[in-house]
Amino acid sequence: MVHAHRGTSAPARLSRRTVAAALGAVATGALFGVSRAGAAPSAAPGLDDPAKKEIAMQLVSSAENSSLDWKAQYAYIEDIGDGRGYTAGIIGFCSGTGDMLDLVQLYTDRKPGNVLAAYLPALRRVDGTDSHEGLDPDFPAAWRRAAQDSAFQQAQNDERDRVYFNPAVARGKADGLRALGQFAYYDALVMHGDGDDPTSFRSIRERALRSAQPPARGGDETTYLDAFLDARVWAMKQEEAHSDTSRVDTAQRVFLRQGNLDLNPPLDWKVYGDSYHIG
């Protein structure tokens, strides 16, 4: 599996933490500074429809893990040498960016005395660094043991939704986008995080808005998504780890060219040269 593709630049991943602080604004449309009032309703299921969400998880896993089996990634953990310490789990929670700390804290709140609870002090100390101090040598093995616990799996699901999936879908719906556009937002948020740095999700969207408008602002959906994907590719190329933009070029862009704005199967795409199919 190609785990090396999980990392992002330090500023982008660190800025992910700002998303959680702003989640309370999603329901009112305040997140990312846009009103929900102009969002166009859609009869088709959004990305939060269970079947569509499963597709989204498989699409991300094809790029992050070279596999459609995203549930096999609960136990994944390694340091990929990107300056963020350990990267682990279904969405690439990192010991150096705060989201791993938040996850383990949630798990411990729900299940005190779990195998990871003893590492909370060390996770607090290494937050913002690539250090393994207090984690080695046993933390990876403890993570893999925890991953067999359904409570830890659920905690991973919940943190993924709280910090990444739900904000991306809410933002997409506020912009009047259907499932494909909502997925484009989700994939960008997973990789780039959110914040003020030039390659963050927020900045990618702002770059797209300079040349096109989303449906909620009276724009054409395909034209806007083309602009968003152009901005996404630009952001990816700013970082050597993301210079291969096939997760956009031979996946999301393929669906867009086909006019599959509702992300309906069958879906055929490629990432890093590997072919995938959802029937």
Side-chain angles (χ1 to χ4, degrees):
M1 293 189 288
V2 191
H3 294 305
H5 295 296
R6 299 187 76 112
T8 69
S9 69
R13 288 295 290 270
L14 286 170
S15 66
R16 284 177 167 193
R17 300 168 62 191
T18 66
V19 178
L23 284 173
V26 174
T28 63
L31 184 60
F32 310 111
V34 175
S35 169
R36 296 173 59 90
S42 173
L47 202 67
D48 49 356
D49 172 82
K52 299 292 186 185
K53 187 173 184 178
E54 179 65 21
I55 288 173
M57 298 305 112
Q58 292 178 305
L59 287 170
V60 169
S61 187
S62 72
E64 297 284 328
N65 302 100
S66 298
S67 169
L68 297 185
D69 187 6
W70 66 270
K71 293 180 181 178
Q73 311 312 319
Y74 289 115
Y76 161 74
I77 181 168
E78 67 177 317
D79 188 327
I80 61 176
D82 62 354
R84 290 157 201 85
Y86 281 115
T87 296
I90 58 172
I91 209 66
F93 301 99
C94 291
S95 60
T97 65
D99 53 0
M100 181 181 287
L101 170 61
D102 292 343
L103 169 63
V104 175
Q105 184 65 64
L106 174 66
Y107 179 39
T108 302
D109 290 344
R110 293 177 175 178
K111 190 170 184 177
N114 68 74
V115 296
L116 297 178
Y119 292 97
L120 279 169
L123 287 170
R124 293 187 187 100
R125 288 195 300 270
V126 302
D127 187 16
T129 77
D130 62 356
S131 174
H132 292 188
E133 184 178 357
L135 299 176
D136 286 346
D138 297 325
F139 182 70
W143 181 280
R144 288 188 285 268
R145 286 198 302 275
Q148 305 307 309
D149 182 2
S150 61
F152 187 49
Q153 295 175 11
Q154 188 60 51
Q156 289 196 38
N157 293 343
D158 291 345
E159 281 297 278
R160 171 202 62 203
D161 291 350
R162 183 179 73 89
V163 182
Y164 304 112
F165 186 80
N166 292 345
V169 171
R171 174 67 274 160
K173 287 184 176 182
D175 280 346
L177 301 177
R178 286 179 273 176
L180 177 58
Q182 293 166 31
F183 174 75
Y185 278 14
Y186 173 57
D187 192 60
L189 191 53
V190 166
M191 175 177 281
H192 301 279
D194 189 56
D196 297 326
D197 49 282
T199 60
S200 70
F201 167 77
R202 186 189 306 263
S203 297
I204 291 170
R205 180 177 172 276
E206 289 174 352
R207 189 179 185 90
L209 288 172
R210 295 174 197 155
S211 57
Q213 294 297 309
R217 298 186 182 185
D220 177 77
E221 188 168 9
T222 298
T223 300
Y224 172 73
L225 286 179
D226 254 326
F228 181 83
L229 294 180
D230 286 345
R232 170 82 189 280
V233 167
W234 176 87
M236 291 175 71
K237 288 184 175 179
Q238 305 312 302
E239 307 167 30
E240 180 58 32
H242 298 146
S243 57
D244 184 326
T245 58
S246 60
R247 68 195 290 158
V248 172
D249 301 332
T250 55
Q252 296 173 50
R253 192 86 75 176
V254 170
F255 308 145
L256 185 60
R257 291 196 198 102
Q258 294 169 344
N260 193 355
L261 296 173
D262 291 313
L263 207 57
N264 290 325
L267 299 169
D268 292 279
W269 73 99
K270 293 182 178 181
V271 184
Y272 312 123
D274 298 327
S275 297
Y276 299 93
H277 172 79
I278 295 176

